[in-house]
Amino acid sequence: MLRRSVLSNLATAAARRFSTIAAAENAAASGGGGGDTLGRRLFSLVYKKRSAVIAIHQWKEEGRKVQKYQLNRIVRELRKLKRHKHALEVCEWMRQEHDLKLLPGDYAVHLDLIAKVRGLISAEKFFEDLPDEMRSWQTCSALLHSYSKSQDIDKAEALMDKMRECSFLKNALPYNHMITLYISNGDFDKVKVVIKELMKNTKPDIVTFNLWLRACASLNDVEAAKKVFLELKKSEVEPDWITFSTLCNLYVKNKLLDDAGSALKEMEKRAWRKNRLAYSSLISLYTNMGDKDGVNRIWSKMKSLFRKMSDAEYTCMLASLVKLEEIEKAESLYTEWESVSGTGDPQVANILLAAYINRDQIEEAVKFHNRMVEKGVRTCYTTWELLTWGNLKTKQSEKVLDYFKKAISCVKTWNPDKKLVREVFKILEEEGNAEGAEEFLDVLRNGGYVSTEVYNSVVRTYAKAGKMPLIVAERMEKDNVELDEETHRLIKTTSNMCVSEVSKFVA
Protein backbone atom coordinates (compact mmCIF):
# COMPACT_ATOMS: atom_id res chain seq x y z
CA MET A 1 0.00 0.00 0.00
CA LEU A 2 1.30 3.44 -0.89
CA ARG A 3 2.32 5.33 2.20
CA ARG A 4 0.45 8.57 2.48
CA SER A 5 3.61 10.09 3.92
CA VAL A 6 4.90 10.43 0.35
CA LEU A 7 2.10 12.86 -0.44
CA SER A 8 2.34 14.45 3.00
CA ASN A 9 6.07 15.11 2.54
CA LEU A 10 5.44 16.65 -0.86
CA ALA A 11 2.78 18.92 0.62
CA THR A 12 5.00 19.97 3.52
CA ALA A 13 7.86 20.76 1.19
CA ALA A 14 5.50 22.78 -0.98
CA ALA A 15 4.29 24.83 1.95
CA ARG A 16 7.84 25.73 2.96
CA ARG A 17 9.30 26.16 -0.46
CA PHE A 18 8.71 29.52 -2.11
CA SER A 19 10.25 31.66 -4.55
CA THR A 20 12.52 34.01 -2.76
CA ILE A 21 13.88 34.28 -6.27
CA ALA A 22 10.79 36.05 -7.58
CA ALA A 23 10.81 38.51 -4.71
CA ALA A 24 14.51 39.26 -5.13
CA GLU A 25 14.19 39.63 -8.88
CA ASN A 26 11.39 42.13 -8.40
CA ALA A 27 13.50 44.09 -5.93
CA ALA A 28 16.46 44.03 -8.27
CA ALA A 29 14.43 45.06 -11.28
CA SER A 30 12.92 48.00 -9.42
CA GLY A 31 16.36 49.14 -8.34
CA GLY A 32 17.86 50.98 -11.24
CA GLY A 33 15.06 52.40 -13.32
CA GLY A 34 14.74 51.20 -16.88
CA GLY A 35 18.34 51.85 -17.99
CA ASP A 36 21.57 49.94 -17.88
CA THR A 37 22.90 49.47 -14.34
CA LEU A 38 25.69 47.47 -12.78
CA GLY A 39 23.07 45.55 -10.84
CA ARG A 40 21.26 44.50 -14.01
CA ARG A 41 24.51 43.31 -15.56
CA LEU A 42 25.40 41.24 -12.51
CA PHE A 43 21.91 39.76 -12.17
CA SER A 44 22.07 38.73 -15.83
CA LEU A 45 25.00 36.40 -15.07
CA VAL A 46 22.72 33.40 -14.75
CA TYR A 47 25.43 30.77 -15.19
CA LYS A 48 27.93 30.20 -12.38
CA LYS A 49 30.91 30.07 -14.74
CA ARG A 50 30.41 33.69 -15.70
CA SER A 51 32.49 36.12 -13.66
CA ALA A 52 31.07 39.00 -11.63
CA VAL A 53 34.57 40.49 -11.44
CA ILE A 54 34.82 40.74 -15.24
CA ALA A 55 31.42 42.45 -15.35
CA ILE A 56 32.56 45.02 -12.75
CA HIS A 57 35.82 45.66 -14.61
CA GLN A 58 33.96 46.23 -17.86
CA TRP A 59 31.64 48.67 -16.07
CA LYS A 60 34.63 50.66 -14.77
CA GLU A 61 36.40 50.59 -18.16
CA GLU A 62 33.35 52.32 -19.60
CA GLY A 63 34.11 55.22 -17.26
CA ARG A 64 31.28 54.46 -14.82
CA LYS A 65 31.47 54.77 -11.06
CA VAL A 66 31.28 51.84 -8.67
CA GLN A 67 30.00 52.80 -5.23
CA LYS A 68 30.09 50.68 -2.11
CA TYR A 69 26.42 51.10 -1.18
CA GLN A 70 25.43 49.84 -4.65
CA LEU A 71 27.65 46.79 -4.35
CA ASN A 72 26.31 46.03 -0.87
CA ARG A 73 22.77 46.12 -2.22
CA ILE A 74 23.71 43.87 -5.15
CA VAL A 75 25.32 41.37 -2.77
CA ARG A 76 22.19 41.41 -0.61
CA GLU A 77 19.93 40.69 -3.59
CA LEU A 78 22.25 38.01 -4.99
CA ARG A 79 22.13 36.26 -1.61
CA LYS A 80 18.33 36.32 -1.72
CA LEU A 81 18.53 34.71 -5.14
CA LYS A 82 20.95 32.12 -3.70
CA ARG A 83 23.53 33.27 -6.24
CA HIS A 84 26.23 32.86 -3.62
CA LYS A 85 29.16 32.38 -6.00
CA HIS A 86 28.60 35.71 -7.76
CA ALA A 87 27.91 37.47 -4.46
CA LEU A 88 31.23 36.15 -3.13
CA GLU A 89 33.05 37.40 -6.22
CA VAL A 90 31.64 40.88 -5.62
CA CYS A 91 32.81 40.76 -1.98
CA GLU A 92 36.27 39.64 -3.03
CA TRP A 93 36.50 42.46 -5.58
CA MET A 94 35.48 44.97 -2.90
CA ARG A 95 38.20 43.66 -0.60
CA GLN A 96 40.85 44.28 -3.27
CA GLU A 97 39.75 47.91 -3.77
CA HIS A 98 41.70 49.96 -1.24
CA ASP A 99 39.53 53.04 -1.73
CA LEU A 100 36.49 51.16 -0.43
CA LYS A 101 36.40 51.29 3.35
CA LEU A 102 35.07 47.93 4.56
CA LEU A 103 33.43 47.49 7.96
CA PRO A 104 33.14 44.41 10.19
CA GLY A 105 29.63 43.83 8.82
CA ASP A 106 31.04 43.60 5.28
CA TYR A 107 33.53 40.98 6.41
CA ALA A 108 30.73 39.08 8.18
CA VAL A 109 28.80 38.82 4.90
CA HIS A 110 32.02 37.79 3.12
CA LEU A 111 32.67 35.03 5.68
CA ASP A 112 29.11 33.71 5.39
CA LEU A 113 29.44 33.48 1.60
CA ILE A 114 32.79 31.69 1.84
CA ALA A 115 31.17 29.09 4.12
CA LYS A 116 28.36 28.57 1.61
CA VAL A 117 30.56 28.40 -1.49
CA ARG A 118 33.84 26.88 -0.26
CA GLY A 119 32.94 25.25 3.01
CA LEU A 120 33.50 25.69 6.73
CA ILE A 121 37.27 25.13 6.73
CA SER A 122 37.78 27.98 4.25
CA ALA A 123 35.50 30.21 6.37
CA GLU A 124 37.57 29.44 9.48
CA LYS A 125 40.78 30.27 7.60
CA PHE A 126 39.24 33.57 6.43
CA PHE A 127 38.32 34.42 10.03
CA GLU A 128 41.81 33.59 11.32
CA ASP A 129 43.41 35.83 8.70
CA LEU A 130 41.23 38.85 9.50
CA PRO A 131 42.83 41.90 11.11
CA ASP A 132 42.20 41.97 14.85
CA GLU A 133 39.91 44.98 14.60
CA MET A 134 37.66 43.06 12.17
CA ARG A 135 37.16 40.11 14.50
CA SER A 136 34.13 41.79 15.94
CA TRP A 137 30.81 40.47 17.19
CA GLN A 138 29.55 40.59 13.57
CA THR A 139 32.25 38.32 12.13
CA CYS A 140 32.11 36.05 15.18
CA SER A 141 28.34 35.77 14.75
CA ALA A 142 28.81 34.91 11.06
CA LEU A 143 31.22 32.11 11.98
CA LEU A 144 28.85 30.96 14.72
CA HIS A 145 26.05 30.83 12.13
CA SER A 146 28.25 28.58 9.96
CA TYR A 147 28.87 26.26 12.91
CA SER A 148 25.14 26.17 13.59
CA LYS A 149 24.37 25.30 9.97
CA SER A 150 26.97 22.53 9.96
CA GLN A 151 25.67 21.17 13.31
CA ASP A 152 29.09 21.54 14.94
CA ILE A 153 28.03 21.92 18.57
CA ASP A 154 31.53 21.72 20.08
CA LYS A 155 32.96 24.54 17.94
CA ALA A 156 29.82 26.63 18.37
CA GLU A 157 29.94 26.35 22.15
CA ALA A 158 33.67 27.12 22.20
CA LEU A 159 33.11 30.23 20.08
CA MET A 160 30.27 31.35 22.33
CA ASP A 161 32.64 31.09 25.31
CA LYS A 162 35.17 33.33 23.53
CA MET A 163 32.41 35.80 22.64
CA ARG A 164 31.46 35.94 26.33
CA GLU A 165 35.06 36.70 27.24
CA CYS A 166 35.16 39.51 24.67
CA SER A 167 31.77 40.92 25.76
CA PHE A 168 30.38 40.30 22.26
CA LEU A 169 27.03 38.92 23.49
CA LYS A 170 25.21 42.23 23.60
CA ASN A 171 22.39 41.41 21.16
CA ALA A 172 20.14 38.45 20.39
CA LEU A 173 21.79 37.27 17.14
CA PRO A 174 24.45 34.85 18.51
CA TYR A 175 21.96 33.48 21.03
CA ASN A 176 19.50 32.85 18.20
CA HIS A 177 22.14 30.85 16.33
CA MET A 178 22.68 28.65 19.39
CA ILE A 179 18.94 28.19 19.96
CA THR A 180 18.56 27.11 16.32
CA LEU A 181 21.41 24.62 16.72
CA TYR A 182 19.98 23.11 19.90
CA ILE A 183 16.46 22.86 18.47
CA SER A 184 17.74 21.03 15.39
CA ASN A 185 19.51 18.56 17.70
CA GLY A 186 16.47 18.17 19.97
CA ASP A 187 18.36 19.47 23.01
CA PHE A 188 15.55 21.53 24.50
CA ASP A 189 17.10 21.73 27.98
CA LYS A 190 19.98 23.73 26.49
CA VAL A 191 17.46 25.88 24.62
CA LYS A 192 16.05 26.93 27.99
CA VAL A 193 19.54 27.69 29.35
CA VAL A 194 20.41 29.87 26.35
CA ILE A 195 17.12 31.78 26.53
CA LYS A 196 17.64 32.39 30.25
CA GLU A 197 21.12 33.83 29.59
CA LEU A 198 19.80 35.93 26.70
CA MET A 199 17.02 37.41 28.83
CA LYS A 200 19.58 38.30 31.50
CA ASN A 201 22.14 39.95 29.19
CA THR A 202 20.15 41.55 26.40
CA LYS A 203 16.70 41.82 24.83
CA PRO A 204 15.11 39.06 22.75
CA ASP A 205 13.96 39.95 19.24
CA ILE A 206 11.16 38.48 17.13
CA VAL A 207 13.48 35.74 15.85
CA THR A 208 14.16 34.70 19.45
CA PHE A 209 10.48 34.47 20.25
CA ASN A 210 9.69 32.59 17.05
CA LEU A 211 12.44 30.07 17.80
CA TRP A 212 11.19 29.76 21.38
CA LEU A 213 7.68 29.05 20.08
CA ARG A 214 9.13 26.56 17.61
CA ALA A 215 10.76 24.72 20.52
CA CYS A 216 7.41 24.62 22.32
CA ALA A 217 5.76 23.30 19.16
CA SER A 218 8.43 20.60 18.83
CA LEU A 219 7.55 19.50 22.36
CA ASN A 220 3.82 19.86 21.56
CA ASP A 221 3.51 22.04 24.68
CA VAL A 222 0.52 24.35 24.17
CA GLU A 223 0.64 25.92 27.63
CA ALA A 224 4.33 26.76 27.31
CA ALA A 225 3.68 28.33 23.90
CA LYS A 226 0.93 30.52 25.35
CA LYS A 227 3.29 31.68 28.12
CA VAL A 228 5.95 32.54 25.53
CA PHE A 229 3.42 34.55 23.57
CA LEU A 230 2.46 36.47 26.71
CA GLU A 231 6.15 37.16 27.32
CA LEU A 232 6.40 38.43 23.75
CA LYS A 233 3.56 40.89 24.31
CA LYS A 234 5.10 42.10 27.59
CA SER A 235 8.41 42.75 25.87
CA GLU A 236 6.66 44.94 23.29
CA VAL A 237 8.15 42.96 20.42
CA GLU A 238 5.85 43.02 17.41
CA PRO A 239 4.78 39.49 16.39
CA ASP A 240 5.01 38.62 12.70
CA TRP A 241 3.24 36.10 10.46
CA ILE A 242 5.69 33.35 11.46
CA THR A 243 4.67 33.81 15.11
CA PHE A 244 1.03 33.14 14.35
CA SER A 245 1.80 30.40 11.82
CA THR A 246 3.70 28.47 14.50
CA LEU A 247 0.90 28.97 17.02
CA CYS A 248 -1.77 28.00 14.51
CA ASN A 249 0.03 24.78 13.58
CA LEU A 250 0.34 23.87 17.24
CA TYR A 251 -3.33 24.60 17.92
CA VAL A 252 -4.51 22.60 14.91
CA LYS A 253 -2.35 19.67 15.96
CA ASN A 254 -4.06 19.72 19.35
CA LYS A 255 -7.54 20.28 17.85
CA LEU A 256 -7.89 23.73 19.46
CA LEU A 257 -9.73 25.09 16.45
CA ASP A 258 -10.99 28.32 18.03
CA ASP A 259 -7.45 29.29 19.05
CA ALA A 260 -6.20 28.20 15.64
CA GLY A 261 -8.82 30.37 13.90
CA SER A 262 -7.84 33.42 15.93
CA ALA A 263 -4.14 32.89 15.21
CA LEU A 264 -4.93 32.44 11.52
CA LYS A 265 -6.77 35.77 11.36
CA GLU A 266 -3.82 37.55 12.98
CA MET A 267 -1.45 35.83 10.61
CA GLU A 268 -3.47 36.89 7.57
CA LYS A 269 -3.32 40.52 8.70
CA ARG A 270 0.45 40.30 8.49
CA ALA A 271 0.63 38.70 5.03
CA TRP A 272 1.95 41.33 2.62
CA ARG A 273 3.59 41.37 -0.78
CA LYS A 274 7.04 41.45 0.84
CA ASN A 275 6.17 38.39 2.94
CA ARG A 276 5.02 36.29 0.01
CA LEU A 277 5.86 33.00 1.71
CA ALA A 278 3.12 33.74 4.24
CA TYR A 279 0.44 33.10 1.60
CA SER A 280 1.59 29.54 0.93
CA SER A 281 1.65 28.95 4.68
CA LEU A 282 -1.89 30.32 4.96
CA ILE A 283 -3.11 27.94 2.25
CA SER A 284 -1.60 24.97 4.10
CA LEU A 285 -3.08 26.06 7.43
CA TYR A 286 -6.56 26.63 6.01
CA THR A 287 -6.24 23.20 4.40
CA ASN A 288 -5.35 21.59 7.75
CA MET A 289 -8.47 23.19 9.20
CA GLY A 290 -10.59 21.87 6.33
CA ASP A 291 -11.55 25.40 5.26
CA LYS A 292 -12.01 25.19 1.48
CA ASP A 293 -13.29 28.76 1.22
CA GLY A 294 -10.22 30.06 3.02
CA VAL A 295 -7.91 28.13 0.68
CA ASN A 296 -9.63 29.43 -2.46
CA ARG A 297 -9.75 32.99 -1.12
CA ILE A 298 -6.01 33.10 -0.38
CA TRP A 299 -5.17 31.60 -3.79
CA SER A 300 -7.34 34.21 -5.53
CA LYS A 301 -5.67 36.95 -3.49
CA MET A 302 -2.22 35.68 -4.48
CA LYS A 303 -3.13 35.70 -8.17
CA SER A 304 -4.34 39.27 -7.85
CA LEU A 305 -1.18 40.39 -6.07
CA PHE A 306 1.52 38.61 -8.03
CA ARG A 307 2.15 38.50 -11.74
CA LYS A 308 3.12 34.83 -11.83
CA MET A 309 2.82 31.92 -9.43
CA SER A 310 5.96 29.90 -8.72
CA ASP A 311 6.21 26.12 -9.08
CA ALA A 312 6.37 25.87 -5.29
CA GLU A 313 3.09 27.77 -4.96
CA TYR A 314 1.38 25.56 -7.54
CA THR A 315 2.68 22.54 -5.63
CA CYS A 316 1.30 23.91 -2.38
CA MET A 317 -2.12 24.65 -3.86
CA LEU A 318 -2.30 21.28 -5.64
CA ALA A 319 -1.42 19.47 -2.41
CA SER A 320 -4.16 21.39 -0.61
CA LEU A 321 -6.80 20.59 -3.22
CA VAL A 322 -5.85 16.92 -3.15
CA LYS A 323 -6.00 16.82 0.64
CA LEU A 324 -9.44 18.46 0.51
CA GLU A 325 -10.58 15.82 -2.03
CA GLU A 326 -11.02 18.47 -4.74
CA ILE A 327 -9.49 16.28 -7.45
CA GLU A 328 -11.21 17.89 -10.43
CA LYS A 329 -10.02 21.33 -9.31
CA ALA A 330 -6.53 19.91 -8.82
CA GLU A 331 -6.57 18.51 -12.36
CA SER A 332 -7.69 21.87 -13.72
CA LEU A 333 -4.95 23.68 -11.76
CA TYR A 334 -2.34 21.25 -13.03
CA THR A 335 -3.42 21.96 -16.62
CA GLU A 336 -3.03 25.66 -15.88
CA TRP A 337 0.48 25.05 -14.51
CA GLU A 338 1.41 23.09 -17.64
CA SER A 339 0.38 26.02 -19.81
CA VAL A 340 2.28 28.73 -17.90
CA SER A 341 5.36 27.15 -16.31
CA GLY A 342 7.58 25.30 -18.73
CA THR A 343 10.04 24.30 -16.00
CA GLY A 344 9.18 20.60 -16.09
CA ASP A 345 9.37 20.47 -12.29
CA PRO A 346 8.43 16.90 -11.24
CA GLN A 347 7.47 17.99 -7.71
CA VAL A 348 4.34 19.65 -9.09
CA ALA A 349 3.30 16.63 -11.14
CA ASN A 350 4.09 14.14 -8.36
CA ILE A 351 1.33 15.63 -6.21
CA LEU A 352 -1.34 14.56 -8.69
CA LEU A 353 0.40 11.27 -9.45
CA ALA A 354 0.41 10.42 -5.72
CA ALA A 355 -3.26 11.35 -5.49
CA TYR A 356 -4.23 8.88 -8.23
CA ILE A 357 -2.21 6.11 -6.60
CA ASN A 358 -3.60 6.83 -3.13
CA ARG A 359 -7.09 6.56 -4.63
CA ASP A 360 -6.19 3.21 -6.28
CA GLN A 361 -6.59 4.78 -9.72
CA ILE A 362 -3.55 2.97 -11.09
CA GLU A 363 -4.57 3.16 -14.76
CA GLU A 364 -5.15 6.89 -14.36
CA ALA A 365 -1.74 7.20 -12.70
CA VAL A 366 -0.04 5.44 -15.65
CA LYS A 367 -1.87 7.67 -18.15
CA PHE A 368 -0.86 10.72 -16.15
CA HIS A 369 2.77 9.59 -16.09
CA ASN A 370 2.69 9.19 -19.87
CA ARG A 371 1.34 12.74 -20.05
CA MET A 372 4.20 13.93 -17.86
CA VAL A 373 6.72 12.38 -20.24
CA GLU A 374 5.00 13.79 -23.33
CA LYS A 375 4.97 17.30 -21.81
CA GLY A 376 8.65 17.16 -20.93
CA VAL A 377 8.27 16.89 -17.13
CA ARG A 378 11.48 15.48 -15.66
CA THR A 379 11.06 12.09 -14.00
CA CYS A 380 12.77 11.95 -10.59
CA TYR A 381 13.22 9.33 -7.88
CA THR A 382 9.90 10.16 -6.21
CA THR A 383 8.03 9.66 -9.49
CA TRP A 384 9.41 6.15 -9.95
CA GLU A 385 8.92 5.37 -6.25
CA LEU A 386 5.26 6.35 -6.50
CA LEU A 387 4.80 4.14 -9.56
CA THR A 388 6.52 1.30 -7.69
CA TRP A 389 4.02 1.61 -4.85
CA GLY A 390 1.15 1.83 -7.33
CA ASN A 391 2.10 -1.40 -9.09
CA LEU A 392 2.61 -3.11 -5.75
CA LYS A 393 -1.11 -2.60 -5.27
CA THR A 394 -1.86 -4.45 -8.49
CA LYS A 395 0.89 -7.02 -7.72
CA GLN A 396 2.55 -6.63 -11.11
CA SER A 397 6.01 -7.76 -10.06
CA GLU A 398 7.69 -7.17 -13.43
CA LYS A 399 6.57 -3.54 -13.49
CA VAL A 400 7.44 -3.15 -9.81
CA LEU A 401 11.02 -4.25 -10.44
CA ASP A 402 11.29 -2.12 -13.56
CA TYR A 403 10.09 1.04 -11.79
CA PHE A 404 12.26 0.32 -8.75
CA LYS A 405 15.38 -0.04 -10.93
CA LYS A 406 14.59 3.28 -12.59
CA ALA A 407 14.11 4.89 -9.17
CA ILE A 408 17.53 3.70 -7.94
CA SER A 409 19.21 4.85 -11.15
CA CYS A 410 17.95 8.42 -10.52
CA VAL A 411 19.99 8.98 -7.38
CA LYS A 412 23.70 8.92 -6.60
CA THR A 413 23.12 7.73 -3.04
CA TRP A 414 19.96 5.85 -2.14
CA ASN A 415 18.47 6.25 1.31
CA PRO A 416 16.92 2.78 1.76
CA ASP A 417 13.18 2.62 2.32
CA LYS A 418 12.98 -0.65 4.25
CA LYS A 419 9.20 -0.79 4.15
CA LEU A 420 9.22 -0.53 0.36
CA VAL A 421 11.86 -3.27 0.16
CA ARG A 422 9.78 -5.55 2.39
CA GLU A 423 6.64 -4.94 0.31
CA VAL A 424 8.44 -5.78 -2.94
CA PHE A 425 9.80 -9.01 -1.47
CA LYS A 426 6.33 -9.80 -0.14
CA ILE A 427 4.77 -10.06 -3.60
CA LEU A 428 7.82 -11.89 -5.00
CA GLU A 429 7.50 -14.42 -2.18
CA GLU A 430 3.75 -14.80 -2.72
CA GLU A 431 4.47 -15.59 -6.39
CA GLY A 432 7.41 -17.88 -5.55
CA ASN A 433 9.34 -15.70 -8.02
CA ALA A 434 12.89 -16.75 -7.19
CA GLU A 435 14.37 -15.20 -10.33
CA GLY A 436 12.60 -11.92 -9.50
CA ALA A 437 13.99 -12.07 -5.94
CA GLU A 438 17.52 -12.53 -7.33
CA GLU A 439 17.00 -9.61 -9.69
CA PHE A 440 15.74 -7.46 -6.82
CA LEU A 441 18.74 -8.45 -4.69
CA ASP A 442 21.01 -7.39 -7.55
CA VAL A 443 19.26 -4.01 -7.80
CA LEU A 444 19.55 -3.48 -4.03
CA ARG A 445 23.23 -4.39 -4.12
CA ASN A 446 23.80 -1.80 -6.84
CA GLY A 447 21.91 0.68 -4.65
CA GLY A 448 24.29 -0.02 -1.75
CA TYR A 449 21.78 -1.85 0.43
CA VAL A 450 22.23 -5.54 1.25
CA SER A 451 21.31 -6.93 4.66
CA THR A 452 20.55 -10.17 6.49
CA GLU A 453 16.84 -9.39 6.19
CA VAL A 454 17.20 -8.96 2.41
CA TYR A 455 18.94 -12.34 2.01
CA ASN A 456 16.37 -14.04 4.25
CA SER A 457 13.64 -12.65 2.00
CA VAL A 458 15.40 -14.11 -1.05
CA VAL A 459 15.72 -17.57 0.56
CA ARG A 460 12.06 -17.46 1.72
CA THR A 461 11.07 -16.83 -1.89
CA TYR A 462 13.05 -19.89 -2.97
CA ALA A 463 11.33 -21.90 -0.24
CA LYS A 464 7.93 -20.77 -1.54
CA ALA A 465 8.99 -21.88 -5.03
CA GLY A 466 10.14 -25.26 -3.67
CA LYS A 467 13.72 -24.67 -4.82
CA MET A 468 17.14 -24.67 -3.20
CA PRO A 469 19.14 -21.46 -3.61
CA LEU A 470 22.82 -21.78 -4.48
CA ILE A 471 25.83 -20.79 -2.33
CA VAL A 472 23.84 -18.45 -0.07
CA ALA A 473 26.37 -18.40 2.77
CA GLU A 474 29.26 -17.70 0.38
CA ARG A 475 27.37 -14.88 -1.31
CA MET A 476 26.47 -13.35 2.05
CA GLU A 477 30.10 -13.49 3.12
CA LYS A 478 31.12 -11.77 -0.11
CA ASP A 479 28.53 -9.05 0.55
CA ASN A 480 29.81 -8.76 4.16
CA VAL A 481 26.40 -9.78 5.54
CA GLU A 482 26.00 -12.00 8.62
CA LEU A 483 23.80 -15.09 8.80
CA ASP A 484 21.30 -15.17 11.65
CA GLU A 485 19.17 -17.98 13.11
CA GLU A 486 16.47 -17.50 10.49
CA THR A 487 19.05 -17.67 7.67
CA HIS A 488 20.35 -21.04 8.96
CA ARG A 489 16.79 -22.34 9.37
CA LEU A 490 15.80 -21.27 5.86
CA ILE A 491 18.95 -22.79 4.31
CA LYS A 492 18.24 -26.05 6.15
CA THR A 493 14.59 -26.00 5.01
CA THR A 494 15.53 -25.52 1.34
CA SER A 495 18.47 -27.96 1.38
CA ASN A 496 16.20 -30.92 0.58
CA MET A 497 14.42 -29.12 -2.27
CA CYS A 498 15.30 -29.43 -5.92
CA VAL A 499 18.36 -27.48 -7.00
CA SER A 500 17.44 -24.25 -8.76
CA GLU A 501 18.90 -23.19 -12.04
CA VAL A 502 21.78 -20.73 -11.78
CA SER A 503 20.28 -17.26 -11.96
CA LYS A 504 21.87 -14.79 -14.34
CA PHE A 505 21.95 -12.39 -11.37
CA VAL A 506 24.18 -14.69 -9.25
CA ALA A 507 27.74 -13.39 -9.42
Side-chain angles (χ1 to χ4, degrees):
M1 179 179 178
L2 173 64
R3 295 172 305 161
R4 295 187 179 271
S5 62
V6 174
L7 182 57
S8 176
N9 290 341
L10 288 167
T12 302
R16 291 178 180 169
R17 204 177 135 235
F18 163 62
S19 112
T20 309
I21 294 178
E25 284 177 342
N26 289 338
S30 64
D36 184 22
T37 66
L38 179 58
R40 289 181 187 277
R41 291 194 186 183
L42 291 171
F43 290 123
S44 70
L45 303 177
V46 178
Y47 300 106
K48 287 185 178 181
K49 289 184 178 179
R50 293 183 178 177
S51 170
V53 173
I54 291 175
I56 297 172
H57 281 316
Q58 287 175 341
W59 182 263
K60 287 194 73 175
E61 285 171 3
E62 293 169 10
R64 303 178 189 239
K65 290 183 179 181
V66 177
Q67 295 177 306
K68 183 178 176 242
Y69 81 91
Q70 293 174 320
L71 294 174
N72 282 341
R73 186 180 182 209
I74 289 168
V75 168
R76 184 169 63 249
E77 297 302 333
L78 285 170
R79 292 175 79 197
K80 287 181 183 178
L81 291 163
K82 300 191 184 301
R83 299 259 296 277
H84 300 131
K85 184 255 188 186
H86 288 141
L88 177 57
E89 288 175 347
V90 175
C91 287
E92 290 177 335
W93 185 88
M94 291 171 68
R95 195 179 181 194
Q96 298 301 317
E97 293 296 303
H98 299 295
D99 58 334
L100 295 179
K101 185 178 179 181
L102 299 185
L103 302 173
D106 300 314
Y107 284 103
V109 171
H110 195 160
L111 187 152
D112 179 71
L113 288 166
I114 288 173
K116 286 182 168 68
V117 176
R118 298 181 186 142
L120 185 56
I121 293 174
S122 295
E124 289 176 319
K125 179 68 167 57
F126 177 82
F127 181 79
E128 289 169 6
D129 293 342
L130 284 174
D132 289 341
E133 65 271 17
M134 292 301 163
R135 288 187 203 163
S136 64
W137 73 266
Q138 292 103 317
T139 48
C140 285
S141 293
L143 184 59
L144 185 64
H145 175 64
S146 298
Y147 288 147
S148 176
K149 294 286 284 184
S150 63
Q151 302 283 296
D152 197 326
I153 293 177
D154 291 339
K155 286 185 177 180
E157 291 179 338
L159 182 55
M160 276 292 281
D161 288 338
K162 290 181 181 178
M163 292 178 75
R164 285 189 190 94
E165 291 173 12
C166 297
S167 300
F168 282 170
L169 301 178
K170 293 183 178 179
N171 63 59
L173 183 61
Y175 291 107
N176 291 342
H177 291 324
M178 294 304 297
I179 295 169
T180 302
L181 176 58
Y182 290 139
I183 288 175
S184 63
N185 280 275
D187 197 340
F188 298 104
D189 289 336
K190 286 189 176 180
V191 169
K192 294 176 183 177
V193 172
V194 173
I195 290 173
K196 186 176 180 180
E197 181 183 342
L198 185 159
M199 301 291 273
K200 180 180 178 182
N201 295 336
T202 186
K203 291 183 179 180
D205 58 16
I206 187 56
V207 175
T208 308
F209 281 110
N210 285 341
L211 287 170
W212 197 353
L213 286 170
R214 181 176 147 199
C216 295
S218 297
L219 295 168
N220 198 32
D221 193 337
V222 174
E223 292 307 313
K226 288 184 175 181
K227 288 178 181 177
V228 171
F229 186 66
L230 286 174
E231 187 71 35
L232 183 154
K233 289 197 288 187
K234 288 179 185 176
S235 66
E236 297 182 351
V237 171
E238 183 65 29
D240 61 11
W241 70 268
I242 296 173
T243 311
F244 291 104
S245 175
T246 305
L247 286 169
C248 185
N249 268 308
L250 180 59
Y251 293 147
V252 170
K253 184 178 179 180
N254 287 276
K255 296 182 172 56
L256 301 171
L257 299 186
D258 288 341
D259 288 334
S262 298
L264 204 49
K265 287 178 182 177
E266 292 299 322
M267 178 183 168
E268 193 168 340
K269 290 177 185 177
R270 291 161 175 80
W272 303 320
R273 289 178 67 93
K274 290 183 179 180
N275 298 328
R276 187 166 171 172
L277 179 57
Y279 291 102
S280 292
S281 184
L282 281 167
I283 286 175
S284 295
L285 290 169
Y286 275 119
T287 300
N288 291 340
M289 293 184 70
D291 188 342
K292 295 180 181 181
D293 291 337
V295 168
N296 292 324
R297 179 170 50 78
I298 296 299
W299 182 249
S300 296
K301 188 173 182 179
M302 289 176 70
K303 298 192 86 172
S304 69
L305 286 172
F306 306 112
R307 182 176 58 85
K308 185 179 179 181
M309 299 295 102
S310 70
D311 286 347
E313 288 163 337
Y314 273 109
T315 306
C316 177
M317 186 60 180
L318 274 170
S320 293
L321 291 173
V322 166
K323 190 171 183 178
L324 294 169
E325 299 292 330
E326 297 279 2
I327 298 300
E328 289 185 6
K329 286 186 177 180
E331 291 170 334
S332 176
L333 186 66
Y334 181 80
T335 300
E336 177 188 312
W337 171 79
E338 274 184 330
S339 67
V340 299
S341 177
T343 62
D345 186 350
Q347 295 190 66
V348 183
N350 287 340
I351 293 291
L352 207 48
L353 181 65
Y356 290 134
I357 293 171
N358 276 325
R359 293 161 67 90
D360 295 332
Q361 295 175 289
I362 309 304
E363 289 185 11
E364 194 66 34
V366 172
K367 288 179 184 177
F368 181 72
H369 177 246
N370 291 336
R371 173 179 169 181
M372 288 169 59
V373 174
E374 289 171 8
K375 296 288 186 178
V377 175
R378 302 185 307 278
T379 303
C380 66
Y381 173 82
T382 303
T383 310
W384 295 121
E385 183 191 31
L386 288 167
L387 289 167
T388 303
W389 280 107
N391 283 278
L392 277 169
K393 289 187 172 189
T394 57
K395 299 188 176 182
Q396 299 183 65
S397 58
E398 286 187 15
K399 287 186 177 180
V400 165
L401 291 173
D402 181 50
Y403 287 136
F404 189 88
K405 279 191 283 188
K406 288 175 177 174
I408 295 294
S409 68
C410 281
V411 291
K412 291 181 180 178
T413 304
W414 181 52
N415 185 23
D417 183 337
K418 294 182 181 179
K419 183 174 181 181
L420 178 58
V421 171
R422 284 194 291 269
E423 290 297 320
V424 174
F425 270 123
K426 184 178 177 182
I427 67 162
L428 293 171
E429 184 180 341
E430 288 173 358
E431 295 175 354
N433 187 349
E435 184 68 8
E438 290 285 6
E439 181 180 359
F440 191 44
L441 171 61
D442 187 59
V443 174
L444 292 173
R445 185 184 292 111
N446 291 335
Y449 177 63
V450 184
S451 66
T452 304
E453 182 183 358
V454 165
Y455 264 101
N456 288 347
S457 297
V458 173
V459 183
R460 272 198 304 272
T461 307
Y462 272 99
K464 177 70 174 180
K467 297 178 181 179
M468 182 179 73
L470 300 175
I471 54 170
V472 174
E474 292 86 342
R475 290 159 63 192
M476 290 179 74
E477 183 180 359
K478 185 177 179 181
D479 283 330
N480 198 27
V481 175
E482 294 183 358
L483 287 75
D484 63 7
E485 290 183 10
E486 185 180 5
T487 316
H488 289 292
R489 181 182 62 78
L490 287 166
I491 290 174
K492 185 176 180 180
T493 300
T494 57
S495 63
N496 296 322
M497 296 178 180
C498 64
V499 179
S500 63
E501 295 181 3
V502 179
S503 170
K504 64 181 179 180
F505 297 103
V506 176

